[in-house]
Amino acid sequence: MSAAQPSTPRPASSLRPRKSPWPKRAAIAVAVLVLAGAGWHFYSQRSAEEAAGAYRTAKIERGDIRVTISATGALSAISTVDVGSQISGQVIDVLADYNDHVTKGQVIARIDPSTYEAQINQGNAQVANARASLATAQATLRNAELDYQRKSSLVKDQLIARSDADLARAALEQARAQLNGAQAQIEQQLASTQTSRLNLQRTVIRAPVDGVVLTRSIEPGQTVAASLQAPVLFQIAEDLSKMEIVLAIDEADIGQVKPGQAVNFTVDSFPDRKFRGAVQQVRLSATNTSNVITYPVVVAVDNADGVLLPGMTANAEIEVSHRDDVLRVGNAALRYKPDDDAAAAAGAPAGGAGGQRGGLGGDLPRVAEQLKLDANQRAAFDAALEQMKQRMAARAGGAAAGGASGGPPAGGAPNIIMGGRGPGGGGGNNNRNRAAGAVSGAARQRMLERFNQQFGAFRALLSDEQKQKWDSEVGALVSARRAPLYKLVGGKPEAVTVRVGASDGSWTEVSGNIKEGDEVVVGTGRGAK
């Protein structure tokens, strides 16, 4: 029997169950997918950031817009009186000086009265002489009357010739004429003396009004010559608590200036202080300076504290329009114009009559809030607004169908950006602009007529004051200018047409298919070509 051979022990590894390679491969695949997803997300995010970084943007925000017209002028008293002299002579007293407050009738200067006193004495003597001549004429007249009476009775008795009676009658009439001449001479001498007395009174110069002496042009001992023109001795400002500024406004801006508009101004003496006034008068007397036409505008200023002085230069701003809490955008966004490729990618701006009506639907509630409507008026307005929105929705559906068929939208109008130039924008071909302007004007008129029909029942319920404000606001909305903006959506610009309102040079009021917080393109980024 052979010896048993020991059995060879199996390796320990051969005793363990063998693991499947699939879990490891799945984990690797999941890791690869996660890394690929992360890479794609990073790439997409980076591409979006790069696309957004290709443009410089600004946000639509709410704020106030003040439209002003700047001009300069000089402060002056409302009433300034030049005090002169009607007579010539030597000044013997000057009783008022610069900045003195004077009252009406107060003596402010005297001229030597000796010449006029001598003239009065001479006139008195001439009057006395004329009265003596009058007495002589009276005596002669009495004698002539008696002689004529005697000779008339003798002629009746035929004691003297009739010729003698005729001579006596002629002497009587001559005596009467001499008497009348003597009386006239007395009146003449009295009038001459009265003139001398008036000139004597004029040697005393009195203040014609209450006020302040601005200028004094004479000194004691100076001779005043008033032969051809009355020399100005003093200049008196009647009331410096009320002053005025005369501004020279360019003809391009004068149409916006109306009496009652607020005016803010500063003077160099008080640079940190703002003063207020109001437009009092727009004068029609135009001034042509180097072919530049300006009109004077008078601004009334309250100077109760007396800090403003005549002659100060005022840097004024006339507030011609003030819009509170409106959507506004920087003017750089309205000046931005993309190149041809970017414009094609952005799409043509939505304009035309349909877009305009849609924008009106968003602005009309704001207008209605200003009218302070009652319940009946509010119900009529809401009904008319809802009907307008339904009509626009129906027309939008028809326009979409018309566009899909390749033709123009059904019942639609050509896309026209109204108003020509926008803020900071440029003009195109003159003929094209004129044609577009003509079509835009006709479209505005048609739209205004349709609008009046749609809201006719509502308007009939308004008071006269509400009707006036409603018509004014609606007219402004209909005739508002249009301009394109480019909103940044998903890193790409999207064209949209907005209504352009008031502008202060930096910000412009806008309304339409935009809202507060929207980002609009104002320019290309540094990395953009």
Side-chain angles (χ1 to χ4, degrees), residues 121-247:
N121 293 332
Q122 182 181 1
N124 290 335
Q126 291 175 348
V127 170
N129 186 30
R131 285 175 177 168
S133 300
L134 176 62
T136 302
Q138 290 173 343
T140 302
L141 177 61
R142 285 194 297 271
N143 184 41
E145 288 176 346
L146 293 175
D147 184 58
Y148 175 70
Q149 290 176 0
R150 287 193 300 267
K151 290 183 177 180
S152 295
S153 61
L154 291 175
V155 167
K156 291 179 181 180
D157 296 337
Q158 296 182 355
L159 297 177
I160 61 174
R162 183 169 292 276
S163 60
D164 292 337
D166 293 338
L167 290 174
R169 183 177 180 179
L172 175 60
E173 293 176 354
Q174 184 177 6
R176 288 175 178 172
Q178 289 176 351
L179 178 64
N180 293 334
Q183 291 176 341
Q185 188 175 7
I186 291 176
E187 293 177 357
Q188 179 182 2
Q189 294 302 327
L190 287 174
S192 178
T193 304
Q194 181 64 22
T195 301
S196 299
R197 293 183 188 278
L198 290 175
N199 288 335
L200 180 62
Q201 294 177 3
R202 290 166 181 164
T203 59
V204 180
I205 308 299
R206 300 178 183 273
V209 293
D210 297 340
V212 180
V213 177
L214 298 182
T215 61
R216 175 174 63 86
S217 306
I218 56 171
E219 298 289 343
Q222 183 176 343
T223 300
V224 176
S227 58
L228 298 178
Q229 185 177 1
V232 177
L233 309 182
F234 299 90
Q235 191 177 61
I236 299 177
E238 186 171 356
D239 184 11
L240 290 182
S241 64
K242 302 289 184 181
M243 303 186 71
E244 67 180 16
I245 309 171
V246 180
L247 303 176

